[in-house]
Amino acid sequence: MAKPWPGPGALVAAVSGGADSVAMLRLLAEQAPERGWRLVVGHVDHGLRDDSAVDARFVADLAGALGLECRVVRVVARQAGLSPEDAARRARRQALLALAEELDAVAVALAHTIDDQAETVLARLLTGAGPGGLAAMRPRSGPLWRPLLAVRGRELRHYLAALGQPWREDPSNADQAYQRNRLRHAVLPLCRQLINPRADEALARLAGLLADEEDYWRGLLDDALAAHGRREGASLCLSLGWLLAQPPFLRRRMMRHIAGRLLGGGQHLLFDHVAGLERLLTMAAGKSLTLPFGLRAWREHEHLRLAPDVDPSPLRVRLDGPGLVDLPALGAALLAREVAPGAALRARGGRAWLPLEDVRWPLELCWPWPGMRFWPLGAPGAKRLSKIAIDRKIPPWWRKRLLVVADEGGPWWVWPLAPAQRARVRADEPLLELSLVDSLANWPYSIEFKGPISDRELPLPTWAEP
């Protein structure tokens, strides 16, 4: 079975009742005592066939005979824009991952074999996938473990026959209305007959070689993203100048990589999506592109931004006095603390100073409200905040995420634009310092704020003026 082995703990074995998954379960059960696994059998019933309940009963009986717990999960395998096969696969994956999370499992074992890998590679090859797509399935990807990825299906059937262990046959596996079945029953047999008797192994070997190269590329892309991009809240943005200076193959890889980082890995963007992103790079600032899986891309003045295509969640946080409050939507925390007079003040950026005696507690933290007017410190008068944002060339994505700090007298600060005109301070008066710092999730100091606070200040958004 494929390594690395999961550590001791609960291990979910995904068992459909077919030969491959039944063989996997028997093999895992043999190894479980030595490995310290508490095997839990997971069976997903899609309800797509009249006899699906019979499969569920077979799996439950098999688990009982082996002295194992069995969880049968029923799902609805329908999703707009997806074939029944793809919808079932996605529903099955989500159900198994939810079960693993509930059990705090070390992994979910899937019974994919060389045969499945060959079919996947061939399907992607014939539909124009690039190197990342042809790397296909990995022995270990996140919580998913494929212990049989180097084993042929016929070897597993011989193993079950030697045990006298029956299995269930899914009649839909012979239905050539499905692409994978056409590959399995028509295309691959022809490849073995006319091209290479070991075509399955050759395709699986190609996947393994490309997977090694993709792992290498992932490290390079992570380094480039750290140097030329940054995460801002729920988004990732990348320097447009750097991106346009790269050769096309590297640009394509990087744009796929960013989508994978936001969505949790996997092959999410198809060729047409990446081609659309390349066109977006040459368009005017402010243009955007809708992508699959709820993503959207924005072409900004100096950056390409990818983010979930949703408005930020409502924000209304109350601060009753100096302290620290977490703002997960910004990946930051607001620190409010009293400081001595005479601080080196600046009019905009990651900090603001307020005349402490004029602050009317509580402070309220929120997003801009419709029609909000704002008078920046040093400006000749107030304007609609939306007009100020446009004049400052703030990208549309950020305009809904400007942080307003206000009290009953109105705004004190719009981060990271500027403090309000009412925040002008006089010499030798006590101050309230506001600063956006790293998220509490990463905060290494006690609540007394011991340590180099300034070193933890949140970097300004990339559109901000120096």
Side-chain angles (χ1 to χ4, degrees):
M1 289 192 286
K3 296 179 181 178
W5 301 88
L11 175 64
V12 175
V15 181
S16 66
D20 296 344
S21 63
V22 169
M24 179 188 73
L25 179 60
R26 294 296 303 257
L27 290 166
L28 292 176
E30 292 176 8
Q31 292 285 332
E34 178 184 349
R35 300 288 173 184
W37 295 330
R38 179 172 69 85
L39 273 182
V40 178
V41 178
H43 176 81
V44 180
D45 183 358
H46 308 91
L48 296 177
R49 302 194 328 271
D50 293 338
D51 62 346
S52 64
V54 180
D55 289 347
R57 172 50 55 192
F58 171 83
V59 172
D61 289 344
L62 174 59
L66 295 173
L68 303 175
E69 178 184 357
C70 181
R71 299 284 193 94
V72 176
V73 183
R74 291 174 175 81
V75 298
V76 176
R78 288 189 297 274
Q79 188 170 337
L82 294 178
S83 68
E85 187 180 22
D86 287 338
R89 185 179 303 113
R90 187 167 300 175
R92 181 167 62 250
R93 179 73 55 86
Q94 291 170 346
L96 290 167
L97 290 176
L99 177 58
E101 184 175 359
E102 176 189 342
L103 298 170
D104 194 23
V106 294
V108 176
L110 304 176
H112 295 124
T113 65
I114 283 181
D115 309 64
D116 299 305
Q117 184 79 304
E119 293 161 12
T120 300
V121 174
L122 191 56
R124 293 183 179 181
L125 179 67
L126 296 175
T127 52
L134 296 179
M137 297 180 285
R138 310 294 184 91
R140 189 72 187 263
S141 50
L144 303 179
W145 179 44
R146 299 178 176 89
L148 305 179
L149 205 54
V151 181
R152 291 298 305 269
R154 62 171 178 263
E155 296 172 323
L156 297 175
R157 284 167 172 75
H158 293 157
Y159 165 72
L160 292 178
L163 292 177
Q165 170 65 61
W167 63 86
R168 296 280 297 167
E169 288 287 358
D170 182 349
S172 68
N173 287 338
D175 184 355
Q176 295 201 29
Y178 297 112
Q179 179 196 74
R180 186 170 288 272
N181 290 342
R182 293 194 296 273
L183 292 171
R184 181 179 303 155
H185 300 299
V187 179
L188 272 168
L190 199 60
C191 291
R192 296 185 201 107
Q193 178 185 348
L194 299 179
I195 307 298
N196 181 357
R198 304 190 66 180
D200 303 75
E201 288 89 340
L203 290 166
R205 184 169 63 250
L206 172 63
L209 292 171
L210 290 175
D212 288 342
E213 294 192 12
E214 288 301 301
D215 289 342
Y216 173 77
W217 272 106
R218 187 176 294 118
L220 292 182
L221 294 172
D222 278 337
D223 291 344
L225 186 56
H228 303 286
R230 65 195 298 171
R231 182 176 284 275
E232 292 178 348
S235 74
L236 279 171
C237 59
L238 186 64
S239 164
L240 199 62
W242 178 84
L243 197 56
L244 289 172
Q246 306 311 308
F249 73 88
L250 184 51
R251 282 201 303 271
R252 292 193 292 266
R253 281 184 177 272
M254 178 56 86
M255 289 187 286
R256 288 179 182 274
H257 185 66
I258 294 176
R261 287 283 296 271
L262 288 172
L263 295 170
Q267 297 298 315
H268 299 287
L269 299 187
L270 302 179
F271 176 82
D272 288 345
H273 307 139
V274 178
L277 282 171
E278 294 220 78
R279 290 191 295 271
L280 182 65
L281 298 180
T282 63
M283 294 181 183
K287 297 293 185 181
S288 65
L289 175 68
T290 300
L291 295 168
F293 302 100
L295 283 185
R296 192 169 187 84
W298 286 265
R299 201 287 199 184
E300 300 178 354
H301 287 277
E302 296 182 357
H303 298 88
L304 174 71
R305 182 185 302 276
L306 269 70
D309 189 15
V310 293
D311 288 338
S313 301
L315 175 68
R316 195 161 294 275
V317 176
R318 175 182 167 125
L319 190 61
D320 291 308
L324 185 68
V325 60
D326 205 15
L327 301 169
L330 289 173
L334 178 79
L335 172 64
R337 60 178 181 168
E338 298 180 21
V339 296
L345 310 184
R346 65 187 182 194
R348 63 180 62 135
R351 295 191 181 200
W353 286 266
L354 316 183
L356 179 61
E357 293 178 354
D358 294 343
V359 174
R360 304 174 196 172
W361 299 99
L363 292 177
E364 187 173 89
L365 284 59
C366 60
W367 305 130
W369 52 86
M372 175 182 170
R373 295 182 64 81
F374 181 60
W375 187 351
L377 181 64
K383 289 184 181 180
R384 289 174 68 100
L385 183 60
S386 58
K387 179 66 165 60
I388 297 173
I390 292 171
D391 291 344
R392 297 277 184 90
K393 296 183 170 53
I394 296 174
W397 188 86
W398 262 108
R399 292 173 199 166
K400 298 177 181 179
R401 294 166 174 82
L402 297 172
L403 178 66
V404 179
V405 181
D407 64 10
E408 63 181 27
W412 276 112
W413 185 33
V414 176
W415 176 85
L417 276 178
Q421 179 67 17
R422 65 189 290 235
R424 62 191 183 280
V425 297
R426 298 171 293 276
D428 301 324
E429 66 177 334
L431 304 175
L432 180 71
E433 180 188 77
L434 303 178
S435 56
L436 262 288
V437 296
D438 202 357
S439 171
L440 287 180
N442 301 320
W443 193 258
Y445 310 117
S446 68
I447 197 64
E448 289 81 15
F449 315 125
K450 296 175 181 177
I453 297 292
S454 61
D455 292 345
R456 305 292 295 179
E457 185 176 337
L458 189 75
L460 296 182
T462 49
W463 50 264
E465 298 177 78

